[in-house]
Short mmCIF file of all heavy atoms in Angstrom, two decimals:
data_model
loop_
_atom_site.label_atom_id
_atom_site.label_comp_id
_atom_site.label_asym_id
_atom_site.label_seq_id
_atom_site.Cartn_x
_atom_site.Cartn_y
_atom_site.Cartn_z
N LEU A 236 4.66 -89.13 121.09
CA LEU A 236 5.75 -89.62 120.24
C LEU A 236 7.08 -89.51 120.97
O LEU A 236 7.42 -88.46 121.53
CB LEU A 236 5.84 -88.83 118.94
CG LEU A 236 4.65 -88.88 117.98
CD1 LEU A 236 5.01 -88.13 116.70
CD2 LEU A 236 4.26 -90.31 117.66
N ILE A 239 10.49 -86.96 118.37
CA ILE A 239 9.99 -86.79 117.01
C ILE A 239 11.14 -86.64 116.00
O ILE A 239 12.16 -86.01 116.29
CB ILE A 239 9.03 -85.58 116.92
CG1 ILE A 239 8.29 -85.58 115.58
CG2 ILE A 239 9.75 -84.26 117.16
CD1 ILE A 239 7.12 -84.62 115.50
N PHE A 240 10.97 -87.27 114.85
CA PHE A 240 11.89 -87.33 113.72
C PHE A 240 13.02 -88.35 113.91
O PHE A 240 13.63 -88.77 112.93
CB PHE A 240 12.51 -85.96 113.37
CG PHE A 240 11.51 -84.93 112.94
CD1 PHE A 240 11.27 -83.80 113.72
CD2 PHE A 240 10.78 -85.09 111.77
CE1 PHE A 240 10.35 -82.85 113.33
CE2 PHE A 240 9.85 -84.14 111.37
CZ PHE A 240 9.63 -83.02 112.15
N ILE A 246 8.68 -87.10 107.22
CA ILE A 246 7.55 -86.52 106.47
C ILE A 246 7.91 -86.52 104.99
O ILE A 246 8.30 -85.51 104.41
CB ILE A 246 7.22 -85.10 106.97
CG1 ILE A 246 6.95 -85.13 108.47
CG2 ILE A 246 6.01 -84.54 106.25
CD1 ILE A 246 6.63 -83.79 109.08
N ALA A 254 6.46 -89.37 111.93
CA ALA A 254 6.73 -87.97 112.25
C ALA A 254 5.61 -87.02 111.83
O ALA A 254 5.51 -85.90 112.34
CB ALA A 254 8.05 -87.53 111.62
N ILE A 255 4.74 -87.46 110.93
CA ILE A 255 3.67 -86.58 110.46
C ILE A 255 2.48 -86.55 111.42
O ILE A 255 1.60 -85.69 111.31
CB ILE A 255 3.21 -86.98 109.04
CG1 ILE A 255 2.55 -85.78 108.34
CG2 ILE A 255 2.24 -88.16 109.08
CD1 ILE A 255 2.25 -86.00 106.87
N VAL A 256 2.44 -87.46 112.37
CA VAL A 256 1.28 -87.62 113.23
C VAL A 256 0.77 -86.33 113.87
O VAL A 256 -0.41 -86.01 113.79
CB VAL A 256 1.56 -88.70 114.31
CG1 VAL A 256 0.57 -88.61 115.47
CG2 VAL A 256 1.48 -90.08 113.68
N PRO A 257 1.61 -85.51 114.53
CA PRO A 257 1.08 -84.32 115.19
C PRO A 257 0.47 -83.29 114.24
O PRO A 257 -0.28 -82.41 114.67
CB PRO A 257 2.29 -83.72 115.91
CG PRO A 257 3.34 -84.75 115.89
CD PRO A 257 3.06 -85.64 114.72
N PHE A 258 0.79 -83.41 112.95
CA PHE A 258 0.28 -82.46 111.97
C PHE A 258 -1.11 -82.87 111.44
O PHE A 258 -1.75 -82.09 110.74
CB PHE A 258 1.25 -82.36 110.78
CG PHE A 258 2.61 -81.84 111.14
CD1 PHE A 258 3.61 -82.70 111.56
CD2 PHE A 258 2.89 -80.49 111.06
CE1 PHE A 258 4.86 -82.22 111.90
CE2 PHE A 258 4.15 -80.01 111.39
CZ PHE A 258 5.13 -80.87 111.81
N LEU A 259 -1.56 -84.07 111.75
CA LEU A 259 -2.81 -84.59 111.21
C LEU A 259 -3.99 -84.26 112.13
O LEU A 259 -3.88 -84.32 113.35
CB LEU A 259 -2.70 -86.12 111.04
CG LEU A 259 -1.59 -86.62 110.13
CD1 LEU A 259 -1.58 -88.14 110.10
CD2 LEU A 259 -1.74 -86.06 108.72
N LYS A 260 -5.12 -83.94 111.51
CA LYS A 260 -6.32 -83.58 112.27
C LYS A 260 -6.74 -84.71 113.20
O LYS A 260 -7.18 -84.48 114.33
CB LYS A 260 -7.45 -83.24 111.30
CG LYS A 260 -8.73 -82.79 111.99
CD LYS A 260 -9.79 -82.41 110.98
CE LYS A 260 -11.07 -81.95 111.68
NZ LYS A 260 -12.12 -81.57 110.68
N TYR A 262 -4.99 -86.64 114.85
CA TYR A 262 -4.13 -86.71 116.04
C TYR A 262 -3.84 -85.29 116.56
O TYR A 262 -2.74 -85.01 117.01
CB TYR A 262 -2.83 -87.42 115.70
CG TYR A 262 -3.02 -88.82 115.18
CD1 TYR A 262 -2.86 -89.11 113.83
CD2 TYR A 262 -3.38 -89.86 116.04
CE1 TYR A 262 -3.04 -90.40 113.34
CE2 TYR A 262 -3.56 -91.15 115.56
CZ TYR A 262 -3.38 -91.41 114.21
OH TYR A 262 -3.57 -92.69 113.74
N GLN A 263 -4.84 -84.43 116.53
CA GLN A 263 -4.61 -83.04 116.91
C GLN A 263 -4.33 -82.86 118.40
O GLN A 263 -3.94 -81.77 118.84
CB GLN A 263 -5.81 -82.18 116.50
CG GLN A 263 -7.14 -82.60 117.09
CD GLN A 263 -8.28 -81.82 116.48
OE1 GLN A 263 -8.10 -80.70 115.98
NE2 GLN A 263 -9.48 -82.38 116.50
N ASP A 264 -4.51 -83.93 119.19
CA ASP A 264 -4.14 -83.87 120.60
C ASP A 264 -2.80 -84.55 120.87
O ASP A 264 -2.37 -84.65 122.03
CB ASP A 264 -5.22 -84.50 121.48
CG ASP A 264 -5.42 -85.99 121.19
OD1 ASP A 264 -4.94 -86.46 120.14
OD2 ASP A 264 -6.06 -86.68 122.02
N ALA A 265 -2.12 -85.01 119.82
CA ALA A 265 -0.86 -85.75 120.00
C ALA A 265 0.22 -84.85 120.59
O ALA A 265 0.43 -83.72 120.15
CB ALA A 265 -0.39 -86.33 118.68
N THR A 266 0.93 -85.38 121.58
CA THR A 266 2.08 -84.69 122.15
C THR A 266 3.35 -85.37 121.64
O THR A 266 3.31 -86.51 121.16
CB THR A 266 2.04 -84.72 123.69
OG1 THR A 266 1.87 -86.08 124.13
CG2 THR A 266 0.87 -83.89 124.21
N TYR A 267 4.47 -84.70 121.77
CA TYR A 267 5.69 -85.24 121.17
C TYR A 267 6.91 -84.64 121.86
O TYR A 267 6.89 -83.53 122.37
CB TYR A 267 5.74 -84.96 119.67
CG TYR A 267 5.37 -83.54 119.31
CD1 TYR A 267 6.34 -82.56 119.16
CD2 TYR A 267 4.04 -83.18 119.13
CE1 TYR A 267 6.01 -81.26 118.87
CE2 TYR A 267 3.69 -81.87 118.83
CZ TYR A 267 4.68 -80.91 118.70
OH TYR A 267 4.34 -79.61 118.43
N THR A 280 14.38 -77.61 110.66
CA THR A 280 13.28 -78.54 110.91
C THR A 280 12.57 -78.17 112.21
O THR A 280 11.34 -78.23 112.30
CB THR A 280 13.79 -79.99 110.97
OG1 THR A 280 14.49 -80.27 109.76
CG2 THR A 280 12.63 -80.96 111.13
N MET A 281 13.33 -77.76 113.22
CA MET A 281 12.72 -77.30 114.47
C MET A 281 11.89 -76.04 114.23
O MET A 281 10.80 -75.88 114.80
CB MET A 281 13.79 -77.05 115.53
CG MET A 281 14.45 -78.32 116.04
SD MET A 281 15.43 -78.09 117.55
CE MET A 281 16.81 -77.13 116.92
N GLU A 282 12.39 -75.16 113.39
CA GLU A 282 11.64 -73.95 113.05
C GLU A 282 10.31 -74.31 112.37
O GLU A 282 9.26 -73.77 112.68
CB GLU A 282 12.47 -73.05 112.14
CG GLU A 282 11.77 -71.75 111.75
CD GLU A 282 12.63 -70.86 110.86
OE1 GLU A 282 13.84 -71.17 110.70
OE2 GLU A 282 12.11 -69.88 110.34
N PHE A 283 10.38 -75.25 111.43
CA PHE A 283 9.17 -75.73 110.75
C PHE A 283 8.18 -76.32 111.75
O PHE A 283 6.98 -76.04 111.72
CB PHE A 283 9.57 -76.77 109.70
CG PHE A 283 8.45 -77.66 109.23
CD1 PHE A 283 7.43 -77.17 108.41
CD2 PHE A 283 8.40 -78.99 109.60
CE1 PHE A 283 6.40 -77.99 107.98
CE2 PHE A 283 7.38 -79.82 109.18
CZ PHE A 283 6.37 -79.31 108.37
N LEU A 284 8.69 -77.14 112.67
CA LEU A 284 7.84 -77.80 113.66
C LEU A 284 7.14 -76.78 114.56
O LEU A 284 5.91 -76.82 114.74
CB LEU A 284 8.69 -78.75 114.50
CG LEU A 284 8.00 -79.51 115.62
CD1 LEU A 284 7.12 -80.62 115.05
CD2 LEU A 284 9.03 -80.10 116.58
N ILE A 285 7.91 -75.87 115.14
CA ILE A 285 7.36 -74.92 116.11
C ILE A 285 6.47 -73.89 115.43
O ILE A 285 5.41 -73.53 115.94
CB ILE A 285 8.50 -74.26 116.90
CG1 ILE A 285 9.20 -75.31 117.77
CG2 ILE A 285 7.99 -73.11 117.75
CD1 ILE A 285 10.49 -74.85 118.41
N HIS A 286 6.88 -73.41 114.25
CA HIS A 286 6.06 -72.44 113.53
C HIS A 286 4.72 -73.06 113.11
O HIS A 286 3.68 -72.40 113.15
CB HIS A 286 6.80 -71.94 112.29
CG HIS A 286 6.00 -70.99 111.45
ND1 HIS A 286 5.73 -69.69 111.83
CD2 HIS A 286 5.37 -71.16 110.25
CE1 HIS A 286 4.99 -69.10 110.91
NE2 HIS A 286 4.76 -69.96 109.93
N SER A 287 4.73 -74.33 112.75
CA SER A 287 3.52 -75.00 112.28
C SER A 287 2.59 -75.39 113.43
O SER A 287 1.36 -75.26 113.30
CB SER A 287 3.88 -76.26 111.49
OG SER A 287 4.69 -75.96 110.38
N LEU A 288 3.13 -75.86 114.52
CA LEU A 288 2.31 -76.46 115.58
C LEU A 288 2.29 -75.68 116.88
O LEU A 288 1.50 -76.01 117.78
CB LEU A 288 2.81 -77.89 115.87
CG LEU A 288 2.74 -78.88 114.71
CD1 LEU A 288 3.29 -80.23 115.15
CD2 LEU A 288 1.32 -79.01 114.19
N GLY A 289 3.14 -74.67 117.02
CA GLY A 289 3.20 -73.96 118.29
C GLY A 289 3.90 -74.81 119.35
O GLY A 289 4.66 -75.73 119.03
N THR A 290 3.62 -74.52 120.60
CA THR A 290 4.34 -75.19 121.69
C THR A 290 3.42 -75.86 122.71
O THR A 290 3.90 -76.38 123.72
CB THR A 290 5.25 -74.19 122.43
OG1 THR A 290 4.45 -73.09 122.88
CG2 THR A 290 6.36 -73.68 121.52
N ASP A 291 2.14 -75.86 122.48
CA ASP A 291 1.21 -76.40 123.48
C ASP A 291 1.32 -77.91 123.65
O ASP A 291 0.88 -78.46 124.66
CB ASP A 291 -0.24 -76.04 123.13
CG ASP A 291 -0.55 -74.60 123.45
OD1 ASP A 291 0.24 -73.96 124.18
OD2 ASP A 291 -1.59 -74.09 122.98
N ARG A 292 1.90 -78.62 122.67
CA ARG A 292 1.98 -80.08 122.76
C ARG A 292 3.41 -80.59 122.75
O ARG A 292 3.65 -81.79 122.75
CB ARG A 292 1.19 -80.71 121.60
CG ARG A 292 -0.30 -80.40 121.63
CD ARG A 292 -1.04 -81.08 120.49
NE ARG A 292 -0.80 -80.45 119.22
CZ ARG A 292 -0.78 -81.10 118.04
NH1 ARG A 292 -0.95 -82.40 118.00
NH2 ARG A 292 -0.58 -80.45 116.92
N LEU A 293 4.36 -79.69 122.76
CA LEU A 293 5.77 -80.04 122.62
C LEU A 293 6.41 -80.25 123.99
O LEU A 293 6.23 -79.43 124.90
CB LEU A 293 6.49 -78.93 121.86
CG LEU A 293 7.92 -79.17 121.37
CD1 LEU A 293 8.23 -78.18 120.24
CD2 LEU A 293 8.95 -78.99 122.46
N GLU A 356 7.18 -69.78 126.81
CA GLU A 356 7.15 -71.06 126.09
C GLU A 356 8.29 -71.97 126.52
O GLU A 356 8.15 -73.20 126.50
CB GLU A 356 7.20 -70.79 124.58
CG GLU A 356 5.93 -70.18 124.03
CD GLU A 356 6.05 -69.81 122.57
OE1 GLU A 356 7.06 -69.16 122.20
OE2 GLU A 356 5.15 -70.17 121.78
N ARG A 359 6.98 -73.70 129.34
CA ARG A 359 5.88 -74.57 128.91
C ARG A 359 6.40 -75.89 128.38
O ARG A 359 5.94 -76.96 128.76
CB ARG A 359 5.05 -73.86 127.83
CG ARG A 359 3.79 -74.62 127.41
CD ARG A 359 3.04 -73.86 126.32
NE ARG A 359 2.80 -72.49 126.73
CZ ARG A 359 2.61 -71.47 125.90
NH1 ARG A 359 2.66 -71.66 124.59
NH2 ARG A 359 2.38 -70.25 126.37
N ILE A 360 7.41 -75.83 127.49
CA ILE A 360 7.88 -77.07 126.85
C ILE A 360 8.86 -77.84 127.74
O ILE A 360 9.03 -79.05 127.55
CB ILE A 360 8.51 -76.79 125.47
CG1 ILE A 360 9.82 -76.00 125.59
CG2 ILE A 360 7.52 -76.05 124.58
CD1 ILE A 360 10.54 -75.79 124.26
N ASN A 364 4.39 -78.87 130.05
CA ASN A 364 3.91 -79.93 129.15
C ASN A 364 4.37 -81.32 129.57
O ASN A 364 3.56 -82.26 129.58
CB ASN A 364 4.34 -79.64 127.71
CG ASN A 364 3.60 -78.46 127.10
OD1 ASN A 364 2.66 -77.93 127.70
ND2 ASN A 364 4.01 -78.03 125.93
#
Side-chain angles (χ1 to χ4, degrees):
L236 297 185
I239 192 168
F240 297 114
I246 305 179
I255 203 171
V256 163
F258 298 87
L259 301 178
K260 183 178 180 180
Y262 302 105
Q263 58 188 336
D264 63 344
T266 53
Y267 45 94
T280 305
M281 290 193 290
E282 181 179 350
F283 162 71
L284 179 74
I285 294 170
H286 177 73
S287 301
L288 299 179
T290 55
D291 284 346
R292 297 182 286 149
L293 191 159
E356 289 175 311
R359 186 181 307 155
I360 68 176
N364 290 352

